[in-house]
């Protein structure tokens, strides 16, 4: 049933979802006015919905008055198959890579035009990165993202390359150059970046392939991030490939990934 709103036809559910949709990786904490503006809601409506969502645990109100995603949504998100099953199957292989390298290891899947990070393992020796489990980062500016984009349908590639955003001064945003990089990633079997998402970092990633009803397909990307002064980046590719094959074998045995 539609509730009262300055926008006719918007239900209570759609307005609550608009509030939650106001948050993203670049804006994980927002004030009441920012949420109202992003959700296209009157302040009074946004305030009431924020109170209800906070009481339920979907949001948390910080001491400075801003809001952020609450633990209850996090717990629910972990139940999603792409999070729960994929993470469980891949965890031992990611741990092996991290143990061998001591660097940050990522596992990501493509969600529309973004790379959704479903797992990350890092330690005290790992270089700081912007990604977190649940982050959605640009396909064209990350190692795992370029691997996923290289395997994406042409309409997705066209949409991403139409107006690629610049995350750092090193981000490749020229569509022609990006297309060449994607072609190289398909040919070589890996993609790499140099300070394109985070300054001071290099990354390399490989595809995770699993059997589907239509045949082998890229279902995820496995990557590693190292400090920019490292010169052994490509020597990590075989380590990633071994782990990716292991993950792929496990996924191929699970019916839900076919």
């Amino acid at each position: 049933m539609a509730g009262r709103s300055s926008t006719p036809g918007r239900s209570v559910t759609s307005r609550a979802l608009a509030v939650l949709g106001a948050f993203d990786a670049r804006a994980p904490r927002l004030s009441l006015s920012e949420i109202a503006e992003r959700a296209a809601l009157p302040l009074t409506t946004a305030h009431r919905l924020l109170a209800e969502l906070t009481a339920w645990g979907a949001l948390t109100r910080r001491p400075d008055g801003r809001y952020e995603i609450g633990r209850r949504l996090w717990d629910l998100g972990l139940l999603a198959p792409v999070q729960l099953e994929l993470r469980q199957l891949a965890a031992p292989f990611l741990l092996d890579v991290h143990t061998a390298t001591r660097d940050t290891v990522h596992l990501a899947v493509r969600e529309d035009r973004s790379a959704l990070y479903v797992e990350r393992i890092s330690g005290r020796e790992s270089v700081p990165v912007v990604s977190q489990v649940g982050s959605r980062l640009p396909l064209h500016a990350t190692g795992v993202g370029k691997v996923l984009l290289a395997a994406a349908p042409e309409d997705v590639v066209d949409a991403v390359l139409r107006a690629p955003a610049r995350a750092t001064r090193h981000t490749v945003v020229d569509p022609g150059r990006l297309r060449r990089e994607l072609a190289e990633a398909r040919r070589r079997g890996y993609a790499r970046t140099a300070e394109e998402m985070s300054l001071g970092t290099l990354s390399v990633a490989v595809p995770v392939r699993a059997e589907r009803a239509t045949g082998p397909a890229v279902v995820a990307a496995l990557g590693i991030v190292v400090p920019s002064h490292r010169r052994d980046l490509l020597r990590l590719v075989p380590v990633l490939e071994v782990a990716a094959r292991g993950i792929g074998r496990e996924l191929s045995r699970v019916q839900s990934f076919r």
Side-chain angles (χ1 to χ4, degrees):
M1 182 177 69
R4 297 175 183 175
S5 171
S6 61
T7 305
R10 293 187 73 181
S11 67
V12 173
T13 301
S14 69
R15 284 179 280 154
L17 292 174
V19 168
L20 296 176
F23 297 86
D24 57 34
R26 296 184 180 276
R29 300 179 183 89
L30 296 168
S31 66
L32 167 61
S33 60
E34 289 170 332
I35 293 169
E37 180 179 357
R38 282 172 164 245
L41 293 171
L43 276 175
T44 53
T45 302
H47 184 267
R48 175 173 56 79
L49 289 171
L50 285 169
E52 294 177 4
L53 290 168
T54 300
W56 186 76
L59 297 175
T60 299
R61 192 167 188 265
R62 294 165 51 86
D64 62 6
R66 293 186 296 169
Y67 293 84
E68 61 188 6
I69 297 298
R71 177 61 186 266
R72 193 161 183 181
L73 276 188
W74 170 264
D75 292 339
L76 286 174
L78 293 177
L79 299 178
V82 69
Q83 290 275 23
L84 182 62
E85 200 162 36
L86 179 55
R87 290 178 72 204
Q88 289 176 343
L89 292 173
F93 300 97
L94 268 70
L95 185 58
D96 285 347
V97 174
H98 176 67
T99 300
T101 66
R102 314 310 298 175
D103 293 305
T104 299
V105 185
H106 289 136
L107 183 69
V109 298
R110 184 175 66 83
E111 188 175 81
D112 193 19
R113 303 176 192 175
S114 299
L116 170 62
Y117 286 70
V118 298
E119 185 60 287
R120 185 189 84 168
I121 298 181
S122 60
R124 287 178 296 179
E125 301 173 30
S126 305
V127 63
V129 293
V130 299
S131 62
Q132 299 178 16
V133 175
S135 295
R136 289 169 175 80
L137 296 181
L139 290 170
H140 70 283
T142 59
V144 289
K146 289 186 179 183
V147 165
L148 296 169
L149 188 58
E154 193 59 33
D155 62 321
V156 174
V157 176
D158 290 341
V160 171
L161 300 192
R162 193 169 297 128
R166 189 181 296 279
T168 75
R169 64 180 181 274
H170 300 290
T171 307
V172 178
V173 294
D174 176 69
R177 180 177 169 186
L178 284 169
R179 285 191 182 277
R180 291 192 294 273
E181 289 192 2
L182 296 180
E184 280 293 294
R186 297 185 195 103
R187 184 181 64 81
R188 297 179 306 204
Y190 65 86
R192 55 182 174 176
T193 65
E195 300 188 288
E196 294 182 44
M197 191 69 234
S198 301
L199 294 176
T201 67
L202 306 174
S203 73
V204 64
V206 301
V208 175
R209 293 182 172 88
E211 288 294 331
R212 292 279 183 85
T214 55
V218 175
V219 296
L222 178 65
I224 194 166
V225 181
V226 304
S228 57
H229 61 76
R230 290 271 292 272
R231 294 293 179 264
D232 62 344
L233 186 66
L234 296 186
R235 295 171 63 182
L236 300 174
V237 172
V239 178
L240 292 173
E241 290 175 332
V242 170
R245 285 195 293 269
I247 297 170
R249 284 194 301 269
E250 292 300 309
L251 292 178
S252 296
R253 296 191 302 106
V254 179
Q255 184 67 34
S256 61
F257 278 90
R258 295 182 182 177

